[in-house]
Amino acid sequence: MTNKLGMIVDNIYTVLVANEIHGYNVVECHEWSEEEKKEQLKFFDRMPVLKITSELMDYIENGMNELPEQLLKDIEGKTKVKVIHAWTTVKYAFVATDGQRVIVVNTNESDRPRLKGRLVPRMEQVIYEMTEDIEPTTYEYTKPERVGYLFDPKIMIGLTRKERQKKEVLYYGLQDFEYEENKNLNKIKYYYGEFNYDGLKDIENNTFEQILHRLMNEVKTGWTKAHDKLAKLIVSTDEYLAELYYALD
C-alpha cells in the first residue's frame, strides 16, 4: 500500500478561486464558465494527495483558516510545475479528500487556503481510488470560535450555481433587516406573506425578530419561484443588491 503521506498525483488541472470562504462557490468543473477556463485554469504536473478527516475538510472548504502546521510540512515543495524544460516548485499546494469530496488548495505561499479548486470527475475518481483503503491523517488545529459565513453551507446542496448565488444575495438582504433601526413589523409581515401566505395566520402575534428568523429559516430549503419573488422584493429597495441579483439573470 502507498504510504499515506507519500501519495502523488500527476497532471492536475483546475480553476482556482481566490479567497473564497464558501465551499459552494468553489464550483465543480461542469459549472466553470468559459471566462474562468480562459483566465483561471491552472495546470500542475505533480501534486501531493492527503486523506483527511471530514471535519478538517469542512474547515478548509468553508473558511480562510490557518492550516495545520504539520500539514504544511507534509506537503511543502512537493507540487511541481514544468515551464518549458525547467521544473518550478510550488511551496504549499495539495489535493485533499475525505473520501466524499475532493478539493485542490494552493496557499500562495501563505499558511491559509488562498486558492481553491475542484477536479474533473475522471481525476476525482483517481483520487478516491488512491485513498480508498487509507485512514485519514489526523492533524491538530484550532477551530474558529465563530464561522465567517451567514448560514450553514449545506443549504446550498442540490442547487445550480446561479441559484446558489441568488440565494446568497437573498440572505444578505434578509440579514440587513437585523440591523435596521426602525424595525417595521408590518413590512416584515408583508415580506413573509409574499413568501408563505398560508403561514401568516401563525405569525399574527410574533415580534419583528421572530418573523424575520422564521423567514430566514423557511427560505433555507431549495430555490423556488417564491424565493425569487421574495428576493426581487427585497433588492428593489437596495440598489447594490439589485445590481448583484439582476446580473445573475
Side-chain angles (χ1 to χ4, degrees), residues 58-83:
D58 288 338
Y59 175 85
I60 293 172
E61 272 194 331
N62 296 304
M64 194 53 57
N65 304 302
E66 185 176 342
L67 294 170
E69 183 178 353
Q70 187 58 52
L71 184 153
L72 295 174
K73 289 179 180 178
D74 288 342
I75 54 92
E76 184 173 2
K78 293 181 180 179
T79 294
K80 308 291 183 181
V81 178
K82 196 170 188 179
V83 182

PDB file of all heavy atoms in Angstrom, residues 58-83:
ATOM      1  N   ASP A  58     -14.162  20.293   6.098  1.00  0.00           N
ATOM      2  CA  ASP A  58     -15.086  21.415   6.297  1.00  0.00           C
ATOM      3  C   ASP A  58     -14.316  22.692   6.645  1.00  0.00           C
ATOM      4  O   ASP A  58     -14.628  23.783   6.161  1.00  0.00           O
ATOM      5  CB  ASP A  58     -16.082  21.106   7.416  1.00  0.00           C
ATOM      6  CG  ASP A  58     -17.110  20.072   7.001  1.00  0.00           C
ATOM      7  OD1 ASP A  58     -17.342  19.898   5.790  1.00  0.00           O
ATOM      8  OD2 ASP A  58     -17.685  19.420   7.903  1.00  0.00           O
ATOM      9  N   TYR A  59     -13.342  22.548   7.513  1.00  0.00           N
ATOM     10  CA  TYR A  59     -12.527  23.667   7.989  1.00  0.00           C
ATOM     11  C   TYR A  59     -11.796  24.332   6.812  1.00  0.00           C
ATOM     12  O   TYR A  59     -11.682  25.561   6.749  1.00  0.00           O
ATOM     13  CB  TYR A  59     -11.539  23.107   9.005  1.00  0.00           C
ATOM     14  CG  TYR A  59     -10.505  24.048   9.560  1.00  0.00           C
ATOM     15  CD1 TYR A  59     -10.776  24.864  10.650  1.00  0.00           C
ATOM     16  CD2 TYR A  59      -9.211  24.072   9.030  1.00  0.00           C
ATOM     17  CE1 TYR A  59      -9.804  25.698  11.197  1.00  0.00           C
ATOM     18  CE2 TYR A  59      -8.234  24.899   9.562  1.00  0.00           C
ATOM     19  CZ  TYR A  59      -8.533  25.709  10.643  1.00  0.00           C
ATOM     20  OH  TYR A  59      -7.556  26.528  11.173  1.00  0.00           O
ATOM     21  N   ILE A  60     -11.312  23.520   5.871  1.00  0.00           N
ATOM     22  CA  ILE A  60     -10.588  24.054   4.715  1.00  0.00           C
ATOM     23  C   ILE A  60     -11.549  24.627   3.682  1.00  0.00           C
ATOM     24  O   ILE A  60     -11.349  25.726   3.155  1.00  0.00           O
ATOM     25  CB  ILE A  60      -9.713  22.958   4.068  1.00  0.00           C
ATOM     26  CG1 ILE A  60      -8.582  22.559   5.029  1.00  0.00           C
ATOM     27  CG2 ILE A  60      -9.130  23.428   2.735  1.00  0.00           C
ATOM     28  CD1 ILE A  60      -7.774  21.358   4.561  1.00  0.00           C
ATOM     29  N   GLU A  61     -12.615  23.882   3.392  1.00  0.00           N
ATOM     30  CA  GLU A  61     -13.564  24.298   2.356  1.00  0.00           C
ATOM     31  C   GLU A  61     -14.279  25.590   2.718  1.00  0.00           C
ATOM     32  O   GLU A  61     -14.432  26.482   1.882  1.00  0.00           O
ATOM     33  CB  GLU A  61     -14.629  23.210   2.141  1.00  0.00           C
ATOM     34  CG  GLU A  61     -14.263  22.159   1.148  1.00  0.00           C
ATOM     35  CD  GLU A  61     -15.479  21.337   0.749  1.00  0.00           C
ATOM     36  OE1 GLU A  61     -16.415  21.200   1.565  1.00  0.00           O
ATOM     37  OE2 GLU A  61     -15.480  20.828  -0.368  1.00  0.00           O
ATOM     38  N   ASN A  62     -14.739  25.668   3.959  1.00  0.00           N
ATOM     39  CA  ASN A  62     -15.620  26.762   4.363  1.00  0.00           C
ATOM     40  C   ASN A  62     -14.918  27.725   5.300  1.00  0.00           C
ATOM     41  O   ASN A  62     -15.309  27.920   6.445  1.00  0.00           O
ATOM     42  CB  ASN A  62     -16.883  26.196   5.013  1.00  0.00           C
ATOM     43  CG  ASN A  62     -17.706  25.386   4.050  1.00  0.00           C
ATOM     44  OD1 ASN A  62     -18.100  25.877   2.997  1.00  0.00           O
ATOM     45  ND2 ASN A  62     -17.941  24.129   4.378  1.00  0.00           N
ATOM     46  N   GLY A  63     -13.877  28.336   4.809  1.00  0.00           N
ATOM     47  CA  GLY A  63     -13.164  29.324   5.605  1.00  0.00           C
ATOM     48  C   GLY A  63     -11.851  29.701   4.966  1.00  0.00           C
ATOM     49  O   GLY A  63     -11.442  29.147   3.945  1.00  0.00           O
ATOM     50  N   MET A  64     -11.212  30.672   5.572  1.00  0.00           N
ATOM     51  CA  MET A  64      -9.864  31.073   5.179  1.00  0.00           C
ATOM     52  C   MET A  64      -8.995  30.911   6.419  1.00  0.00           C
ATOM     53  O   MET A  64      -8.320  31.822   6.874  1.00  0.00           O
ATOM     54  CB  MET A  64      -9.880  32.518   4.670  1.00  0.00           C
ATOM     55  CG  MET A  64      -8.632  32.941   3.919  1.00  0.00           C
ATOM     56  SD  MET A  64      -8.173  31.862   2.553  1.00  0.00           S
ATOM     57  CE  MET A  64      -9.652  31.885   1.559  1.00  0.00           C
ATOM     58  N   ASN A  65      -9.069  29.692   6.969  1.00  0.00           N
ATOM     59  CA  ASN A  65      -8.456  29.409   8.261  1.00  0.00           C
ATOM     60  C   ASN A  65      -6.999  28.972   8.117  1.00  0.00           C
ATOM     61  O   ASN A  65      -6.597  28.412   7.098  1.00  0.00           O
ATOM     62  CB  ASN A  65      -9.241  28.313   8.975  1.00  0.00           C
ATOM     63  CG  ASN A  65     -10.711  28.655   9.148  1.00  0.00           C
ATOM     64  OD1 ASN A  65     -11.040  29.662   9.747  1.00  0.00           O
ATOM     65  ND2 ASN A  65     -11.587  27.833   8.594  1.00  0.00           N
ATOM     66  N   GLU A  66      -6.240  29.192   9.174  1.00  0.00           N
ATOM     67  CA  GLU A  66      -4.843  28.780   9.204  1.00  0.00           C
ATOM     68  C   GLU A  66      -4.751  27.264   9.129  1.00  0.00           C
ATOM     69  O   GLU A  66      -5.390  26.545   9.889  1.00  0.00           O
ATOM     70  CB  GLU A  66      -4.203  29.288  10.495  1.00  0.00           C
ATOM     71  CG  GLU A  66      -2.716  29.018  10.601  1.00  0.00           C
ATOM     72  CD  GLU A  66      -2.120  29.619  11.852  1.00  0.00           C
ATOM     73  OE1 GLU A  66      -2.758  30.516  12.449  1.00  0.00           O
ATOM     74  OE2 GLU A  66      -1.028  29.182  12.246  1.00  0.00           O
ATOM     75  N   LEU A  67      -3.952  26.776   8.187  1.00  0.00           N
ATOM     76  CA  LEU A  67      -3.810  25.339   8.002  1.00  0.00           C
ATOM     77  C   LEU A  67      -2.900  24.749   9.089  1.00  0.00           C
ATOM     78  O   LEU A  67      -2.015  25.424   9.604  1.00  0.00           O
ATOM     79  CB  LEU A  67      -3.231  25.043   6.623  1.00  0.00           C
ATOM     80  CG  LEU A  67      -4.136  25.416   5.442  1.00  0.00           C
ATOM     81  CD1 LEU A  67      -3.372  25.310   4.126  1.00  0.00           C
ATOM     82  CD2 LEU A  67      -5.380  24.532   5.411  1.00  0.00           C
ATOM     83  N   PRO A  68      -3.116  23.480   9.441  1.00  0.00           N
ATOM     84  CA  PRO A  68      -2.273  22.844  10.449  1.00  0.00           C
ATOM     85  C   PRO A  68      -0.795  22.903  10.052  1.00  0.00           C
ATOM     86  O   PRO A  68      -0.443  22.658   8.891  1.00  0.00           O
ATOM     87  CB  PRO A  68      -2.778  21.405  10.475  1.00  0.00           C
ATOM     88  CG  PRO A  68      -4.191  21.487   9.991  1.00  0.00           C
ATOM     89  CD  PRO A  68      -4.196  22.581   8.976  1.00  0.00           C
ATOM     90  N   GLU A  69       0.036  23.216  11.019  1.00  0.00           N
ATOM     91  CA  GLU A  69       1.470  23.346  10.755  1.00  0.00           C
ATOM     92  C   GLU A  69       2.057  22.055  10.193  1.00  0.00           C
ATOM     93  O   GLU A  69       2.867  22.076   9.260  1.00  0.00           O
ATOM     94  CB  GLU A  69       2.194  23.737  12.048  1.00  0.00           C
ATOM     95  CG  GLU A  69       3.685  23.974  11.872  1.00  0.00           C
ATOM     96  CD  GLU A  69       4.347  24.407  13.175  1.00  0.00           C
ATOM     97  OE1 GLU A  69       3.621  24.641  14.163  1.00  0.00           O
ATOM     98  OE2 GLU A  69       5.587  24.501  13.202  1.00  0.00           O
ATOM     99  N   GLN A  70       1.647  20.917  10.744  1.00  0.00           N
ATOM    100  CA  GLN A  70       2.189  19.643  10.281  1.00  0.00           C
ATOM    101  C   GLN A  70       1.742  19.337   8.856  1.00  0.00           C
ATOM    102  O   GLN A  70       2.499  18.761   8.065  1.00  0.00           O
ATOM    103  CB  GLN A  70       1.763  18.512  11.216  1.00  0.00           C
ATOM    104  CG  GLN A  70       2.416  17.167  10.895  1.00  0.00           C
ATOM    105  CD  GLN A  70       3.937  17.238  10.937  1.00  0.00           C
ATOM    106  OE1 GLN A  70       4.518  17.694  11.918  1.00  0.00           O
ATOM    107  NE2 GLN A  70       4.597  16.787   9.864  1.00  0.00           N
ATOM    108  N   LEU A  71       0.521  19.714   8.518  1.00  0.00           N
ATOM    109  CA  LEU A  71       0.036  19.509   7.145  1.00  0.00           C
ATOM    110  C   LEU A  71       0.927  20.258   6.160  1.00  0.00           C
ATOM    111  O   LEU A  71       1.323  19.721   5.112  1.00  0.00           O
ATOM    112  CB  LEU A  71      -1.416  19.969   7.017  1.00  0.00           C
ATOM    113  CG  LEU A  71      -2.120  19.747   5.680  1.00  0.00           C
ATOM    114  CD1 LEU A  71      -3.634  19.628   5.880  1.00  0.00           C
ATOM    115  CD2 LEU A  71      -1.842  20.868   4.678  1.00  0.00           C
ATOM    116  N   LEU A  72       1.262  21.515   6.474  1.00  0.00           N
ATOM    117  CA  LEU A  72       2.124  22.308   5.601  1.00  0.00           C
ATOM    118  C   LEU A  72       3.500  21.661   5.452  1.00  0.00           C
ATOM    119  O   LEU A  72       4.069  21.636   4.355  1.00  0.00           O
ATOM    120  CB  LEU A  72       2.247  23.735   6.128  1.00  0.00           C
ATOM    121  CG  LEU A  72       0.955  24.563   6.118  1.00  0.00           C
ATOM    122  CD1 LEU A  72       1.173  25.900   6.806  1.00  0.00           C
ATOM    123  CD2 LEU A  72       0.454  24.785   4.691  1.00  0.00           C
ATOM    124  N   LYS A  73       4.018  21.120   6.538  1.00  0.00           N
ATOM    125  CA  LYS A  73       5.317  20.444   6.475  1.00  0.00           C
ATOM    126  C   LYS A  73       5.244  19.195   5.595  1.00  0.00           C
ATOM    127  O   LYS A  73       6.173  18.883   4.848  1.00  0.00           O
ATOM    128  CB  LYS A  73       5.783  20.061   7.879  1.00  0.00           C
ATOM    129  CG  LYS A  73       6.203  21.241   8.734  1.00  0.00           C
ATOM    130  CD  LYS A  73       6.640  20.777  10.119  1.00  0.00           C
ATOM    131  CE  LYS A  73       7.075  21.957  10.995  1.00  0.00           C
ATOM    132  NZ  LYS A  73       7.461  21.508  12.354  1.00  0.00           N
ATOM    133  N   ASP A  74       4.112  18.492   5.672  1.00  0.00           N
ATOM    134  CA  ASP A  74       3.970  17.247   4.921  1.00  0.00           C
ATOM    135  C   ASP A  74       3.918  17.456   3.408  1.00  0.00           C
ATOM    136  O   ASP A  74       4.301  16.562   2.646  1.00  0.00           O
ATOM    137  CB  ASP A  74       2.699  16.510   5.363  1.00  0.00           C
ATOM    138  CG  ASP A  74       2.823  15.895   6.753  1.00  0.00           C
ATOM    139  OD1 ASP A  74       3.967  15.739   7.227  1.00  0.00           O
ATOM    140  OD2 ASP A  74       1.778  15.590   7.361  1.00  0.00           O
ATOM    141  N   ILE A  75       3.433  18.625   2.972  1.00  0.00           N
ATOM    142  CA  ILE A  75       3.264  18.835   1.524  1.00  0.00           C
ATOM    143  C   ILE A  75       4.257  19.865   0.959  1.00  0.00           C
ATOM    144  O   ILE A  75       4.259  20.127  -0.242  1.00  0.00           O
ATOM    145  CB  ILE A  75       1.811  19.249   1.184  1.00  0.00           C
ATOM    146  CG1 ILE A  75       1.346  20.477   1.995  1.00  0.00           C
ATOM    147  CG2 ILE A  75       0.859  18.094   1.472  1.00  0.00           C
ATOM    148  CD1 ILE A  75       1.562  21.787   1.361  1.00  0.00           C
ATOM    149  N   GLU A  76       5.092  20.428   1.803  1.00  0.00           N
ATOM    150  CA  GLU A  76       5.981  21.515   1.372  1.00  0.00           C
ATOM    151  C   GLU A  76       6.883  21.091   0.204  1.00  0.00           C
ATOM    152  O   GLU A  76       7.591  20.087   0.272  1.00  0.00           O
ATOM    153  CB  GLU A  76       6.850  21.991   2.533  1.00  0.00           C
ATOM    154  CG  GLU A  76       7.724  23.192   2.169  1.00  0.00           C
ATOM    155  CD  GLU A  76       8.459  23.774   3.357  1.00  0.00           C
ATOM    156  OE1 GLU A  76       8.322  23.227   4.477  1.00  0.00           O
ATOM    157  OE2 GLU A  76       9.170  24.781   3.179  1.00  0.00           O
ATOM    158  N   GLY A  77       6.813  21.865  -0.860  1.00  0.00           N
ATOM    159  CA  GLY A  77       7.695  21.683  -2.004  1.00  0.00           C
ATOM    160  C   GLY A  77       7.411  20.471  -2.865  1.00  0.00           C
ATOM    161  O   GLY A  77       8.180  20.171  -3.788  1.00  0.00           O
ATOM    162  N   LYS A  78       6.311  19.785  -2.631  1.00  0.00           N
ATOM    163  CA  LYS A  78       6.035  18.555  -3.385  1.00  0.00           C
ATOM    164  C   LYS A  78       5.220  18.801  -4.658  1.00  0.00           C
ATOM    165  O   LYS A  78       5.074  17.886  -5.471  1.00  0.00           O
ATOM    166  CB  LYS A  78       5.312  17.540  -2.491  1.00  0.00           C
ATOM    167  CG  LYS A  78       6.186  17.016  -1.357  1.00  0.00           C
ATOM    168  CD  LYS A  78       5.451  15.993  -0.515  1.00  0.00           C
ATOM    169  CE  LYS A  78       6.337  15.471   0.609  1.00  0.00           C
ATOM    170  NZ  LYS A  78       5.637  14.488   1.473  1.00  0.00           N
ATOM    171  N   THR A  79       4.695  19.996  -4.824  1.00  0.00           N
ATOM    172  CA  THR A  79       3.960  20.328  -6.048  1.00  0.00           C
ATOM    173  C   THR A  79       4.936  20.879  -7.072  1.00  0.00           C
ATOM    174  O   THR A  79       5.704  21.793  -6.776  1.00  0.00           O
ATOM    175  CB  THR A  79       2.838  21.341  -5.765  1.00  0.00           C
ATOM    176  OG1 THR A  79       1.862  20.723  -4.927  1.00  0.00           O
ATOM    177  CG2 THR A  79       2.177  21.801  -7.045  1.00  0.00           C
ATOM    178  N   LYS A  80       4.865  20.328  -8.290  1.00  0.00           N
ATOM    179  CA  LYS A  80       5.795  20.715  -9.348  1.00  0.00           C
ATOM    180  C   LYS A  80       5.039  21.176 -10.595  1.00  0.00           C
ATOM    181  O   LYS A  80       4.007  20.609 -10.962  1.00  0.00           O
ATOM    182  CB  LYS A  80       6.697  19.536  -9.731  1.00  0.00           C
ATOM    183  CG  LYS A  80       7.416  18.877  -8.566  1.00  0.00           C
ATOM    184  CD  LYS A  80       8.491  19.769  -7.969  1.00  0.00           C
ATOM    185  CE  LYS A  80       9.243  19.037  -6.853  1.00  0.00           C
ATOM    186  NZ  LYS A  80      10.274  19.894  -6.232  1.00  0.00           N
ATOM    187  N   VAL A  81       5.590  22.194 -11.222  1.00  0.00           N
ATOM    188  CA  VAL A  81       5.080  22.685 -12.499  1.00  0.00           C
ATOM    189  C   VAL A  81       6.253  22.799 -13.452  1.00  0.00           C
ATOM    190  O   VAL A  81       7.292  23.376 -13.100  1.00  0.00           O
ATOM    191  CB  VAL A  81       4.392  24.064 -12.346  1.00  0.00           C
ATOM    192  CG1 VAL A  81       3.919  24.566 -13.705  1.00  0.00           C
ATOM    193  CG2 VAL A  81       3.225  23.980 -11.366  1.00  0.00           C
ATOM    194  N   LYS A  82       6.092  22.244 -14.642  1.00  0.00           N
ATOM    195  CA  LYS A  82       7.173  22.297 -15.621  1.00  0.00           C
ATOM    196  C   LYS A  82       6.926  23.441 -16.588  1.00  0.00           C
ATOM    197  O   LYS A  82       5.892  23.495 -17.259  1.00  0.00           O
ATOM    198  CB  LYS A  82       7.271  20.977 -16.386  1.00  0.00           C
ATOM    199  CG  LYS A  82       8.589  20.802 -17.129  1.00  0.00           C
ATOM    200  CD  LYS A  82       8.730  19.386 -17.648  1.00  0.00           C
ATOM    201  CE  LYS A  82      10.129  19.158 -18.206  1.00  0.00           C
ATOM    202  NZ  LYS A  82      10.297  17.764 -18.696  1.00  0.00           N
ATOM    203  N   VAL A  83       7.837  24.378 -16.625  1.00  0.00           N
ATOM    204  CA  VAL A  83       7.753  25.520 -17.535  1.00  0.00           C
ATOM    205  C   VAL A  83       8.853  25.364 -18.576  1.00  0.00           C
ATOM    206  O   VAL A  83      10.038  25.441 -18.250  1.00  0.00           O
ATOM    207  CB  VAL A  83       7.893  26.857 -16.774  1.00  0.00           C
ATOM    208  CG1 VAL A  83       7.758  28.027 -17.747  1.00  0.00           C
ATOM    209  CG2 VAL A  83       6.856  26.953 -15.661  1.00  0.00           C
TER     210      VAL A  83
END
